[in-house]
Structure formats: C-alpha cells, structure tokens
Amino acid sequence: MLPFAGELSVRKLVTASQVRVGFIGLGIMGLPMAANLLRSGFPVTVWNRSRPGIEAALASGATEAASPRAVARSSDVLITIVTDSPDVEAVLFGPDGAADGLRPGAVFIDMSTISPAVTRDLAGRLAQRGVAMLDAPVSGGEGGARSGTLAIMVGGEREVVERARPLFEALGKTIVHVGPVGAGQTVKLCNQVAGAIHLLAMSECLVLAQKAGVDPAKMLEAVSSGAAASWMLSNLAPRVLDRDFAPGFMIRLQQKDLRLALAAAQELELALPGTALVHQLFHALEADGAQDEGTQALVRTIEAMAGVEVRRGG
C-alpha cells in the first residue's frame, strides 16, 4: 500500500493539520470545496488559471503556489476539479505540471467529471511515479459544494480510499467506493444520464400543464410527493416557474458530460437514445447563445415547440 508522504497512518490522517492538501480548480464547485477543507483544519495550497478564485481562496486562509508543480511539491494529497479531460492532463503533464512535483507516496484525487478511459490512462502514468490516483467526481451542485453535502463516487484501491476518507468527509455526506480507478467517472456519467432525462421529464410535464390550462405550480404540488418525485421537480421546476435560468450547473458543462456519456456508450456498443435526445435539445439552446445558462433552461426548447411559456398561475 502506498503511504502518504511522511508515512502518515490512517489514524494520523484524521488529524487534518498533519495532511497538506493541494487544490487546483477554484470555480463554482472548487472554491467552496477548498473552503470546506480549510474549515475542517486542512492546510490548503491552491492554484487556479484566473486570479478571482485565488484571491477568494486566500481570503479563506489558503496559501498560493505559482504553478501546478509548485502546489504538488508542497502537498501530500493533490485534488483537482477542472472542466474536462484535456484540462486534467494539462494540469498533470503540461508545462510546470503537477506530476513533476508529486513525490512517491503522494495521492492524486481528481474530482472533475472526465473520461473514464482518460482517467485510467492518467492513473497508469502516475503509478509509474509511485503516486496513487483516485477518481472522485461529485454530485450536488454549487449548493452541495457550499454546504459540504456532496455525493462523492470514488474509484480506486480501497486502502487508498480509506486513507483519503477524512478529506472526503469534509466535502460530502454520501461517499461511496464504487470500484477500481475509472469506476467513479463511469458512475458520475450514469448520474448525468439520469439527471438529463429527469430534466426532460420536468420540462415536458410543466409544458403539458401550462398548455392544458392547469397552474404548473399546483401540478408540482400534487406530483412532487408521489412516485414521480425527483430532485429536478423539487429544485429546478420552481425556478422555471419564476423564469430564473441562472446557472447552478451550466448547459455547456452538462453538454460536455453528455458527450462523455455518449462516447463511453459508443465504446461499449450501447444505445442511449434518451441521452442522445436531450443532448440534441440542449444543442438548440447552445445555438441560441444560452450555453452559460442553467440546465433548467431546457424547458424553453419544449415551450418553443408547444407555443407556450410556463409561469405560475398557468
């Protein structure tokens, strides 16, 4: 079993101040996650491509490093949460990449949503350097990141997962070891497939009620506690009723995740017709310049076909 640098035991890992954490990616999700690690007592060194995230992290007590490699040099555990597969690879193996700073015995945890195949490749390259990797993508959105209640799906060796568990417990409430490296990303893609199709169901039921002359708010009240209940109905449908399309999760990021899911399905010679449909419906919004809006804006594609606009009061 690979130890953390300094031969820290599982029991000693619980003492947060003894584990130096590097954190790269201070966006909507990463910034509050880094703040939660700091609040839990972990010393955190950060790097980000833009200054606003760095300044906010410094205000929470983080230390800044000049590059990914510099972050890695000062860390026992390095965490990344960036946009896509090429971004993780660049952070690790690009100029001033973190891989050159990680010491044998360090642990790399990627909490981005990226390709399972790329994840397995990165893990193999890091293993040659004596570095263990976990893929631990998250679900729960910005709200879960801020409250520390994320769902975390972890791929990797069980022993490494258990050693990293205190960090995960600072970030989330549901932590599930789902299998070997790459399995975390596969489970996250399953999550995105289910979420995308639930978004379509939410959009269609709202538009159906509106078109039929029923108050969509009353419809939601009636169905949200029954067998059709979903996170989308409870959390995003009320925002649709208020015509609030501000992003909790952006369409362009949802599209990236659906592309990953469809690519994984193609590798497995698997049909995902519902996922493909939602992906195409989101394309219509991207063509209209809405790629940075929240995913609840999917309802607008259904509204356009129906010739109605969903609002409270019907």
Side-chain angles (χ1 to χ4, degrees), residues 13-313:
L13 179 55
V14 178
T15 305
S17 62
Q18 294 180 284
V19 181
R20 300 171 304 164
V21 179
F23 203 101
I24 295 175
L26 300 169
I28 289 176
M29 298 293 290
L31 183 59
M33 291 167 67
N36 283 334
L37 289 168
L38 287 161
R39 277 192 287 270
S40 295
F42 293 99
V44 178
T45 302
V46 301
W47 183 84
N48 195 55
R49 288 182 296 187
S50 59
R51 289 301 307 177
I54 293 174
E55 297 297 339
L58 295 180
S60 296
T63 300
E64 180 182 0
S67 67
R69 178 166 58 182
V71 173
R73 281 177 175 168
S74 63
S75 303
D76 303 309
V77 182
L78 175 64
I79 298 173
T80 54
I81 180 162
V82 294
T83 302
D84 203 349
S85 307
D87 302 296
V88 179
E89 186 161 15
V91 163
L92 283 173
F93 296 106
D96 278 329
D100 289 333
L102 289 168
R103 295 180 299 280
V107 173
F108 172 63
I109 304 174
D110 181 38
M111 305 190 79
S112 320
T113 300
I114 68 169
S115 160
V118 170
T119 295
R120 290 188 290 269
D121 176 69
L122 296 175
R125 293 161 70 181
L126 289 173
Q128 295 174 2
R129 299 168 179 251
V131 175
M133 178 176 175
L134 301 175
D135 57 308
V138 300
S139 179
E142 182 182 2
R146 291 187 179 278
S147 63
T149 57
L150 293 167
I152 306 174
M153 45 221 83
V154 191
E157 294 183 10
R158 182 173 298 278
E159 293 166 318
V160 182
V161 173
E162 291 308 310
R163 286 153 52 204
R165 188 171 291 275
L167 285 83
F168 293 140
E169 289 175 345
L171 301 172
K173 293 298 183 185
T174 303
I175 302 151
V176 183
H177 180 208
V178 296
V181 168
Q185 296 296 348
T186 297
V187 173
K188 176 60 186 290
L189 295 183
C190 293
N191 179 87
Q192 298 306 83
V193 165
I197 295 173
H198 288 170
L199 275 168
L200 179 57
M202 175 200 78
S203 300
E204 291 192 356
C205 73
L206 287 172
V207 171
L208 174 61
Q210 184 76 43
K211 188 77 171 182
V214 174
D215 182 353
K218 293 296 184 182
M219 182 276 295
L220 281 178
E221 182 181 354
V223 306
S224 291
S225 297
S230 73
W231 189 93
M232 302 301 177
L233 283 180
S234 298
N235 292 275
L236 294 186
R239 297 182 67 177
V240 171
L241 296 180
D242 294 332
R243 310 308 291 175
D244 175 7
F245 300 113
F249 190 59
M250 293 181 185
I251 288 171
R252 62 181 175 85
L253 297 178
Q254 177 74 75
Q255 284 291 74
K256 179 265 297 184
D257 292 351
L258 295 183
R259 282 192 293 271
L260 290 171
L262 292 168
Q266 186 172 9
E267 292 173 10
L268 296 167
E269 298 183 347
L270 170 69
L272 297 178
T275 304
L277 173 59
V278 178
H279 187 52
Q280 290 299 312
L281 292 172
F282 272 127
H283 268 319
L285 289 166
E286 289 179 307
D288 198 37
Q291 60 271 10
D292 289 331
E293 292 190 359
T295 54
Q296 67 272 24
L298 181 65
V299 72
R300 295 214 302 262
T301 62
I302 309 303
E303 290 174 335
M305 289 186 281
V308 298
E309 185 176 276
V310 173
R311 289 188 178 273
R312 294 184 186 275

